[in-house]
Amino acid sequence: ADHFNTNYAYSAASYSKGGVFLGQLEYVLGRENLDKSLLRYFDEWSFKHPTPDAFIHVLEKVSGLELKWYLSYMLNTTEVIDYAIKGVESEGDQALINLERIGNFPMPIDLYITYTDGTTELVNIPLRMMRGAKPGPDGVDFTVAEDWPWTNPEYTLTIDRNAGEIERVEIDSTKRLADVNPDNNFLNLTEDPESNPSN
């Protein structure tokens, strides 16, 4: 605490950020993996002296994903999470959904697509440095897309349906991602086609 200039900064870093840390881990791993990890962490490290690396190592063992990047960004930087939907365009019978990482804190993305026929699809875009993807939620049409290299600020998702069949695209409709500017996380193509910068 002596290293902070204000009590407010200490409070945010010590209390609020801890909640954000776990909330974002749930987004990265899925709820079931996080719950299993916390139980295993308690079993392995109760009444001992763990480090942050010990905690992440348990999560990696349970989930099968690499997570040192997450620990590094969350604890050792002040980078923010900020993603945006740049637009949707047609290419033949396919739709290209263009995404952008504006902030420097990389995260996997849950992209929700609503089609004009009323069907929906959840597409998970893992980070390449995770070396895998979280499991999909039960009872949800869940697709894992090609991973997003963390060095690329832009990503294009190709869907085997025409752009005219897409009603809405949204990054994290569950509002779990700690995106600092959620206003650019959705695009409704039927209500306001002019809002689509790719048209």
Side-chain angles (χ1 to χ4, degrees), residues 25 31 33 59 67 89 96 131-132 137 144 159 170 178 183 198:
L25 272 176
R31 181 59 183 261
N33 272 338
L59 275 84
L67 298 168
E89 57 189 313
L96 306 180
R131 306 284 190 250
V144 177
I159 301 293
E170 185 170 6
D183 292 342
S198 294

Side-chain angles (χ1 to χ4, degrees), residues 22-42 55-67 108 124 130-138 142 144 176:
L22 287 175
Q24 295 312 280
L25 272 176
E26 180 184 344
Y27 183 81
V28 171
L29 301 174
R31 181 59 183 261
E32 186 177 340
N33 272 338
L34 181 61
D35 288 348
K36 288 179 183 176
S37 297
L38 293 174
L39 289 172
R40 183 164 174 177
Y41 178 67
F42 177 81
F55 179 65
I56 288 297
H57 185 62
V58 169
L59 275 84
E60 289 179 330
K61 286 191 288 187
V62 172
S63 69
L65 303 174
E66 292 194 19
L67 298 168
N124 177 256
M130 291 171 55
R131 306 284 190 250
K134 68 180 174 183
D138 292 335
F142 184 81
V144 177
R176 293 174 297 138

Side-chain angles (χ1 to χ4, degrees), residues 134-163:
K134 68 180 174 183
D138 292 335
V140 177
D141 184 11
F142 184 81
T143 304
V144 177
E146 182 180 352
D147 50 20
W148 188 335
W150 72 273
T151 54
N152 295 358
E154 297 182 354
Y155 178 93
T156 299
L157 176 69
T158 303
I159 301 293
D160 288 327
R161 294 177 74 161
N162 189 279

Side-chain angles (χ1 to χ4, degrees), residues 1-198:
D2 294 340
H3 294 281
F4 288 87
N5 292 328
T6 66
N7 287 336
Y8 178 80
Y10 170 70
S11 176
S14 300
Y15 298 99
S16 302
K17 194 166 184 179
V20 172
F21 182 89
L22 287 175
Q24 295 312 280
L25 272 176
E26 180 184 344
Y27 183 81
V28 171
L29 301 174
R31 181 59 183 261
E32 186 177 340
N33 272 338
L34 181 61
D35 288 348
K36 288 179 183 176
S37 297
L38 293 174
L39 289 172
R40 183 164 174 177
Y41 178 67
F42 177 81
D43 288 342
E44 290 187 13
W45 287 99
S46 57
F47 306 109
K48 298 177 183 174
H49 301 282
T51 64
D53 285 329
F55 179 65
I56 288 297
H57 185 62
V58 169
L59 275 84
E60 289 179 330
K61 286 191 288 187
V62 172
S63 69
L65 303 174
E66 292 194 19
L67 298 168
K68 286 185 177 47
W69 63 271
Y70 179 80
L71 183 67
S72 178
Y73 274 95
M74 187 61 80
L75 296 187
N76 301 324
T77 76
T78 56
E79 302 294 354
V80 297
I81 301 167
D82 188 10
Y83 283 85
I85 298 173
K86 292 183 67 178
V88 178
E89 57 189 313
S90 288
E91 187 174 273
D93 292 333
Q94 295 180 318
L96 306 180
I97 301 173
N98 300 308
L99 307 175
E100 181 180 16
R101 178 179 45 79
I102 299 168
N104 287 326
F105 193 131
M107 285 288 278
I109 295 298
D110 285 344
L111 190 69
Y112 293 79
I113 305 170
T114 303
Y115 297 102
T116 54
D117 63 5
T119 59
T120 59
E121 183 179 10
L122 169 57
V123 179
N124 177 256
I125 305 169
L127 289 174
R128 182 160 297 168
M129 60 187 165
M130 291 171 55
R131 306 284 190 250
K134 68 180 174 183
D138 292 335
V140 177
D141 184 11
F142 184 81
T143 304
V144 177
E146 182 180 352
D147 50 20
W148 188 335
W150 72 273
T151 54
N152 295 358
E154 297 182 354
Y155 178 93
T156 299
L157 176 69
T158 303
I159 301 293
D160 288 327
R161 294 177 74 161
N162 189 279
E165 298 178 64
I166 298 175
E167 178 180 318
R168 181 179 175 91
V169 180
E170 185 170 6
I171 295 171
D172 180 40
S173 68
T174 61
K175 310 294 186 234
R176 293 174 297 138
L177 183 64
D179 193 304
V180 296
N181 181 21
D183 292 342
N184 55 14
N185 286 5
F186 63 91
L187 185 63
N188 193 327
L189 281 73
T190 57
E191 286 183 6
D192 186 10
E194 295 301 319
S195 70
N196 183 358
S198 294

